[in-house]
């Protein structure tokens, strides 16, 4: 009996040691997944939101391919050409143990969509707005356009401003205040333009709208032409590929998937450089409309063929001058594959290799991008095989469009665009010089639409504005009819769920929320006047008060695996950090004990944190939790580190422990700074041994502090007169630390590489990049592949890897509440879910001169007199954002449940940002809409004849394949 007991004890001791070793090894090598396995082995509950929340800052650019040197040789083996291309072939890891089909595909999005980026056409043209001209300190002319936009009657008035410079356009939104005037110089200052050679003066000539529209069109065409090159099995040179006189049955099937076959002679749509009069570039071609973009395909077998000309110059003249080319190659995977170096073209930057497998009726895709092309999505699935042909078509067309837009940002094209913009801006400035005395006002504020002036002058101003609007609307109508307008905003179709769609969490909440954090499926919030309350995701359960109003919480973190609540309460000298056991709070709620007061929390104070105005914790808190508390210009480092055996008992159960976890915390060291920090973030070192760092923001800089030594290193200097620090977010690219630094309306990514143990190496890196938000954010949330900016009245959604805009949603009086796991935010106006689909269906009947609110939720009418505004809380499940981008399933047992099962909720999901599968109108339909409104806009009776002529033409060939 004693021997048996001894063996059992030895086995248990061995198992505990093995678990402890697994934990140590997991922290250093396998990271988060091993820690989750360990905690589940102990029976510790780890929420799936916590699981995903710790991973959302981890991302990899390897999903977008790797750069390779590709060499092409002739039949004798001699090298012909070589080039460096980024090759995307799906994120295939031979060592992985997952099965095909379990990988979740990323969502397919058009990046920088024109209906979000072409501001002048959408918000300015045909509306009353102001245009200014000036000259900066370097004597470079610039133009500024400003409009007071009501966001399509969304009760969100704001100023939109566009700054036109030779380096490109800068867009920004500024909040409107009826009591505070806004000057031209204050807008330019927000754009970091503070010094002038010549101050801005207003341009009153309505013809300026045509010139500014030309400047906006330099951003790139809204229509695209793509090459399609047919390659037979075994063909390895471009001469062989271009000499294929005809295609094959598989090619015809692929072309039919891409678009419609149209007759070029007499074609009235976008022609992509093809001859539509004399058939010199072939008789037929392939054309389609996708999400408002007209696409023309230059198909090699449809272009003129010459038996005498082996190089087929006429075919190369078109396909060789396409930025993006599809190569449709016959043969199986064992056949010699296409390489971009086989094509002699200095203009084509992206090749999409398509192969068809007739055995399983699937398409395989491979992307080659010239090395200088920035990353663009969507990343290829793994494996990059598509059995759903419609899904393949959507993926391919979006990939091609995004690829051409990305190519325009390469140095070659960017320099050409900058020279063109510089020439256009200088030429326009010179043309306006003679008219300055009569067409400009030196002193004019646009705080009001109509300036205060005498009655006679006011009538004259109203007449000028009426003419200004008439000219703009006529120009907008002409642009739409010509097919050069971003008409993606005129869409119709069924609603399609997007990963950022929100769910209604609490339809009405009477208090102002200061901060909050999620607790399972519930939300713990600190209010300004009612203490701390627990909100359940159910309309039948009232809020439960946890602390009364004597404890004024300003910041909180709720860590379920640690059984811990951290809160910063009070302000000024009385501010402190408090720590609580969640199990104790939960037991008090279940047993309906009295609401806790500040007096009841005296045993939960971390005494040395008196005067704390800010604190931060590490993202991957695992077993060692690190807290940095800022007390004026002093940082206090605190840890909660337990022994292995203590970890097994205290994390899994709280039986036998005190109600307060204060004794478990230890003060490590103090670090003095040169100023009080405004923003902080903790960065995990690669080894965890004396190489952790703290990012702090103060004055005009972001500094990196070594936790062990207190040494400071300059990370980034902010070159601006006024700085509004927003956040610093620690992210980990392939395990290496990086930081997203956000200030004003700028976001900068800096990679931090360890060097010589504890000294970080901070220097310009090819991985670093920056981008600008369209509006100054109040908070930033990173959820790979997305990064979300929460402003006062909108949510701006971009991609982490390149900063490209994906979506903008208008949400009045927006406030972010919690984002550590699921995202919770507050809006003053409820969202009418019933109108989400119907509003999209009616957009096609809207007048073209009034852009429809494609990205805007529909809100009810303004509040009546005496009606108090209510607070509505919405939730974006983190699993919707992060779960779709995970390359393979997480090792956590709960993850599959969260990713596949709907969130339990009594209230049905209420989409905040209703999206549609963009079923674009054909060109003929757009012309019909334009013709119906021409009489109203211009009073031109003769356009009825054009409408009748256009109505007689067939629309079949110009419809999108979705129809």
């Amino acid at each position: 009996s004693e021997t048996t007991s001894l063996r059992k004890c030895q086995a248990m001791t061995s198992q505990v040691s093995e678990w402890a070793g697994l934990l140590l090894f997991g922290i250093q090598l396998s990271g988060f997944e091993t820690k989750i396995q360990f905690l589940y082995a102990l029976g510790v509950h780890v929420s799936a939101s916590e699981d995903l929340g710790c991973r959302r800052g981890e991302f990899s650019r390897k999903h977008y391919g790797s750069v390779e040197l590709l060499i092409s040789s002739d039949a004798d083996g001699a090298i012909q050409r070589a080039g460096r291309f980024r090759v995307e072939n799906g994120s295939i890891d031979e060592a992985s143990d997952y099965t095909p089909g379990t990988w979740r595909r990323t969502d397919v999005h058009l990046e920088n969509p024109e209906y979000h980026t072409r501001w002048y056409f959408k918000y300015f043209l045909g509306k009353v707005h102001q245009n200014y001209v000036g000259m900066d300190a370097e004597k470079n002319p610039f133009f500024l356009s400003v409009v007071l936009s009501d966001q399509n009657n969304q009760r969100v008035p704001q100023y939109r401003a566009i700054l036109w410079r030779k380096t490109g356009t800068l867009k920004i939104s500024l909040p409107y205040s009826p009591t505070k005037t806004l000057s031209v110089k204050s807008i330019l200052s927000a754009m970091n333009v503070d010094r002038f050679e010549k101050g801005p003066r207003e341009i009153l000539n309505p013809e300026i709208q045509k010139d500014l529209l030309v400047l906006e069109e330099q951003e790139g065409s809204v229509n695209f032409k793509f090459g399609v090159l047919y390659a037979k099995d075994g063909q390895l040179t471009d001469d062989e590929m271009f000499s294929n006189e005809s295609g094959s049955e598989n090619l015809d099937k692929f072309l039919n998937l891409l678009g419609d076959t149209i007759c070029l002679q007499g074609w009235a749509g976008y022609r992509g450089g093809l001859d539509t009069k004399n058939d010199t570039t072939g008789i037929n071609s392939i054309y389609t409309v996708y999400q408002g973009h007209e696409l023309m395909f230059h198909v090699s077998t449809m272009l003129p063929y010459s038996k005498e000309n082996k190089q087929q110059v006429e075919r190369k003249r078109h396909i060789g001058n396409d930025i993006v080319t599809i190569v449709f190659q016959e043969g199986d995977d064992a056949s010699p594959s296409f390489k971009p170096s086989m094509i002699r073209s200095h203009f084509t930057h992206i090749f999409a290799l398509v192969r068809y497998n007739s055995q399983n009726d699937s398409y395989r895709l491979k992307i080659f991008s010239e090395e200088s092309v920035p990353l663009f999505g969507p990343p290829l699935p793994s494996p990059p095989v598509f059995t759903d042909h419609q899904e393949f078509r959507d993926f391919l067309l979006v990939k091609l469009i995004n690829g051409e837009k990305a190519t325009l940002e390469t140095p070659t094209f960017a320099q050409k665009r900058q020279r063109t913009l510089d020439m256009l801006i200088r030429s326009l400035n010179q043309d306006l010089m003679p008219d300055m005395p009569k067409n400009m006002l030196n002193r004019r504020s646009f705080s009001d639409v109509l300036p205060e002036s005498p009655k006679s002058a006011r009538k004259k101003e109203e007449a000028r504005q009426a003419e200004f609007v008439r000219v703009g609307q006529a120009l907008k109508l002409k642009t739409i009819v010509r097919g050069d307008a971003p008409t993606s905003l005129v869409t119709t179709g069924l609603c399609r769920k997007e990963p950022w769609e929100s769910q209604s969490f609490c339809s009405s909440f009477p208090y102002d929320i200061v901060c909050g954090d999620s607790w399972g499926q519930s939300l713990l919030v600190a209010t300004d006047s009612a203490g701390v309350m627990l909100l359940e995701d159910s309309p039948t359960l009232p809020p439960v008060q946890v602390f009364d109003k004597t404890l004024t919480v300003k910041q909180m973190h709720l860590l379920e695996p640690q059984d811990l609540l951290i809160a910063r309460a009070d302000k000024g000298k009385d501010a402190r950090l408090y720590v609580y056991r969640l199990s104790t709070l939960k037991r008090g709620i279940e047993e309906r004990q009295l609401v806790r007061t500040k007096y009841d929390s005296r045993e939960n104070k971390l005494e040395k944190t008196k005067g704390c105005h800010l604190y931060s914790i590490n993202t991957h808190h695992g077993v060692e939790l690190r807290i940095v508390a800022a007390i004026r210009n002093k940082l206090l480092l605190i840890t909660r580190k337990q022994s292995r055996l203590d970890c097994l008992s205290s994390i899994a159960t709280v039986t036998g422990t005190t109600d307060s976890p204060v004794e478990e915390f230890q003060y490590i060291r103090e670090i003095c700074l040169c100023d009080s920090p405004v923003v902080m973030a903790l960065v995990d070192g690669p080894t965890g041994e004396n190489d952790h760092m703290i990012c702090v923001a103060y004055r005009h800089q972001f500094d990196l502090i070594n936790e062990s030594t207190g040494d400071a290193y300059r990370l980034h200097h902010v070159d601006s007169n006024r700085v509004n620090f927003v956040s610093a977010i620690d992210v980990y690219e392939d395990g290496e630390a990086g930081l997203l630094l956000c200030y004003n309306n700028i976001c900068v990514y800096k990679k931090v590489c360890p060097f010589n143990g504890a000294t970080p190496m901070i220097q310009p890196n090819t991985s670093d990049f920056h981008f600008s938000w369209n509006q100054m954010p109040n908070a930033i949330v990173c959820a790979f592949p997305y990064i979300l900016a929460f402003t006062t009245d909108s949510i701006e959604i971009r991609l982490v890897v390149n900063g490209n805009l994906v979506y903008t949603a208008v949400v009045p009086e927006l406030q972010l509440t919690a984002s550590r796991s699921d995202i919770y935010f507050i809006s003053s106006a409820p969202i009418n879910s019933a109108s989400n689909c119907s509003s999209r269906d009616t957009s096609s009947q809207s007048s073209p001169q009034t852009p429809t609110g494609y990205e805007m939720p529909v809100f009810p009418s303004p509040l009546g007199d005496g009606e108090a505004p209510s607070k509505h809380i919405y939730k974006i499940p983190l699993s919707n954002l992060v779960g779709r981008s995970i390359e393979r399933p997480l090792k956590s047992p709960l993850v599959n449940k969260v990713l596949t099962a709907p969130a339990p909720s009594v209230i049905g999901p209420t989409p905040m940002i209703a999206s549609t599968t963009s079923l674009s109108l054909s060109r003929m339909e757009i012309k019909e809409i334009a013709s119906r409104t021409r009489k109203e806009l211009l009073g031109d009776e003769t356009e009825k004849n054009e409408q009748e002529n256009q109505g007689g033409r067939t629309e079949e060939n110009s419809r999108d394949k979705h129809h």
Side-chain angles (χ1 to χ4, degrees), residues 557-764:
H557 283 84
L558 196 148
L559 311 178
E560 292 182 72
Q562 301 274 355
D563 189 35
L564 190 67
L565 169 66
I566 308 171
R568 176 173 62 86
D570 296 330
K571 59 182 179 179
K573 295 181 180 179
D574 296 330
R576 282 185 178 84
L577 292 188
Y578 294 78
V579 289
Y580 306 87
R581 294 194 192 280
L582 289 177
S583 53
T584 303
L585 297 178
K586 183 178 180 181
R587 188 168 60 250
I589 295 172
E590 292 174 347
E591 295 176 0
R592 301 183 181 277
Q593 297 177 358
L594 293 176
V595 178
R596 285 174 171 260
T597 65
K598 182 179 178 180
Y599 180 79
D600 298 329
S601 301
R602 61 189 183 278
E603 299 296 330
N604 299 87
K605 295 179 183 177
L606 294 178
E607 286 296 342
K608 288 189 178 182
T609 62
K610 184 177 180 181
C612 170
H613 69 275
L614 182 69
Y615 80 91
S616 182
I617 68 172
N618 55 324
T619 305
H620 301 82
H621 26 265
V623 173
E624 181 183 24
L625 171 66
R626 305 191 336 269
I627 306 175
V628 171
I631 307 170
R632 294 182 293 278
N633 66 331
K634 180 178 68 176
L635 299 184
L636 180 61
L637 179 61
I638 309 167
T639 63
R640 186 198 192 197
K641 193 171 184 179
Q642 302 161 312
S643 66
R644 306 292 184 266
L645 294 178
D646 289 342
C647 174
L648 300 181
S649 59
S650 63
I651 295 183
T653 176
V654 295
T655 305
T657 61
T658 61
D659 287 343
S660 173
V662 168
E663 298 300 324
E664 299 168 11
F665 288 84
Q666 52 184 333
Y667 304 95
I668 305 299
R669 65 179 56 85
E670 291 183 357
I671 301 173
C672 289
L673 305 177
C674 59
D675 207 338
S676 178
V678 181
V679 164
M680 290 194 305
L682 275 64
V683 183
D684 292 335
T687 66
E689 297 295 333
N690 302 323
D691 58 358
H692 296 312
M693 291 163 281
I694 309 169
C695 177
V696 295
Y698 44 59
R699 296 181 178 175
H700 283 69
Q701 65 203 55
F702 287 88
D703 282 356
L704 208 56
I705 313 295
N706 188 300
E707 280 189 12
S708 301
T709 64
D711 296 335
Y713 307 88
R714 179 65 54 82
L715 181 62
H716 182 72
H717 177 74
V718 179
D719 186 17
S720 178
N721 291 339
R722 290 180 294 181
V723 184
N724 177 42
F725 291 111
V726 180
S727 66
I729 304 173
D730 59 314
V731 294
Y732 301 88
E733 181 179 357
D734 299 322
E736 296 181 351
L739 282 160
L740 284 168
L741 310 176
C742 302
Y743 60 92
N744 296 348
N745 66 322
I746 305 295
C747 189
V748 179
Y749 173 74
K750 290 278 187 179
K751 199 165 187 177
V752 181
C753 304
F755 182 70
N756 287 341
T759 305
M761 180 175 63
I762 305 167
Q763 61 184 18

Side-chain angles (χ1 to χ4, degrees), residues 451-555:
E452 292 297 327
S453 57
K455 187 174 182 180
S456 59
R458 191 180 303 129
K459 288 185 177 180
K460 186 176 180 181
E461 173 68 11
E462 289 175 354
R464 185 196 69 81
Q465 289 188 352
E467 175 65 11
F468 191 91
V469 170
R470 188 195 68 80
V471 171
Q473 289 182 341
L475 185 59
K476 173 172 282 190
L477 189 61
K478 183 179 179 181
T479 306
I480 292 177
V481 173
R482 194 173 66 239
D484 294 332
T487 52
S488 300
L489 51 89
V490 182
T491 58
T492 182
L494 301 175
C495 288
R496 177 169 62 96
K497 292 198 69 173
E498 294 287 5
W500 48 76
E501 287 187 10
S502 66
Q503 303 168 357
S504 176
F505 181 80
C506 180
S507 59
S508 181
F509 189 70
Y511 305 105
D512 290 331
I513 296 177
V514 178
C515 62
D517 204 351
S518 56
W519 188 352
Q521 294 298 318
S522 305
L523 179 65
L524 189 68
V525 296
T527 66
D528 61 339
S529 59
V532 178
M533 312 183 81
L534 183 66
L535 307 180
E536 297 287 346
D537 187 10
S538 172
T540 59
L541 297 177
V544 178
Q545 192 171 23
V546 183
F547 297 95
D548 68 5
K549 62 181 180 180
T550 59
L551 190 70
T552 56
V553 176
K554 303 294 184 182
Q555 189 180 355

Side-chain angles (χ1 to χ4, degrees), residues 897-911:
K897 298 178 184 178
V898 173
L899 295 180
T900 58
S905 173
V906 177
I907 304 176
T910 304

Side-chain angles (χ1 to χ4, degrees), residues 52-64 91 106 375 379 620 729-740 748-752 767-769 771 782-787 799-803 881-882 885-887:
L52 291 172
C54 291
R55 282 199 61 145
R56 64 178 178 182
E58 300 180 4
F59 72 98
S60 174
R61 301 187 212 203
K62 292 179 180 178
H63 297 300
Y64 296 84
S91 306
T106 53
L375 298 181
H620 301 82
I729 304 173
D730 59 314
V731 294
Y732 301 88
E733 181 179 357
D734 299 322
E736 296 181 351
L739 282 160
L740 284 168
V748 179
Y749 173 74
K750 290 278 187 179
K751 199 165 187 177
V752 181
S767 301
D768 296 348
F769 63 90
F771 60 87
C782 182
F784 183 78
Y786 308 105
I787 180 169
L799 297 178
V800 175
V801 294
N802 53 22
L881 291 168
V882 178
S885 67
I886 295 174
E887 181 180 359

Side-chain angles (χ1 to χ4, degrees), residues 323-369:
I323 295 176
V324 181
T325 294
I326 303 171
V327 178
F328 186 86
Q329 188 172 37
E330 299 279 13
D332 53 23
D333 294 339
S335 304
S337 182
F338 167 84
K339 295 179 181 178
S341 51
M342 297 175 180
I343 305 298
R344 289 171 289 187
S345 172
H346 298 289
F347 195 82
T348 305
H349 283 62
I350 297 172
F351 294 91
L353 178 61
V354 176
R355 280 188 163 180
Y356 175 71
N357 187 337
S358 57
Q359 295 181 351
N360 58 7
D361 192 26
S362 66
Y363 288 96
R364 176 178 285 270
L365 181 62
K366 190 175 185 179
I367 304 293
F368 300 91
S369 305

Side-chain angles (χ1 to χ4, degrees), residues 174-228:
L174 297 172
Y176 167 79
S177 173
T179 59
K180 184 180 178 181
T181 59
L182 194 63
S183 66
V184 181
K185 289 189 177 181
S186 63
I187 290 181
L188 289 172
S189 179
M191 295 177 161
N192 204 24
V193 180
D194 296 295
R195 295 182 300 164
F196 311 97
E197 177 72 17
K198 291 182 180 179
R201 288 173 288 181
E202 186 179 6
I203 308 167
L204 302 181
N205 190 341
E207 296 299 324
I208 188 65
Q209 298 174 92
K210 182 177 181 181
D211 298 304
L212 295 179
L213 186 61
V214 171
L215 292 182
E216 183 172 74
E217 289 172 351
Q218 302 309 308
E219 296 180 16
S221 173
V222 297
N223 303 319
F224 299 89
K225 56 187 182 70
F226 301 126
V228 179

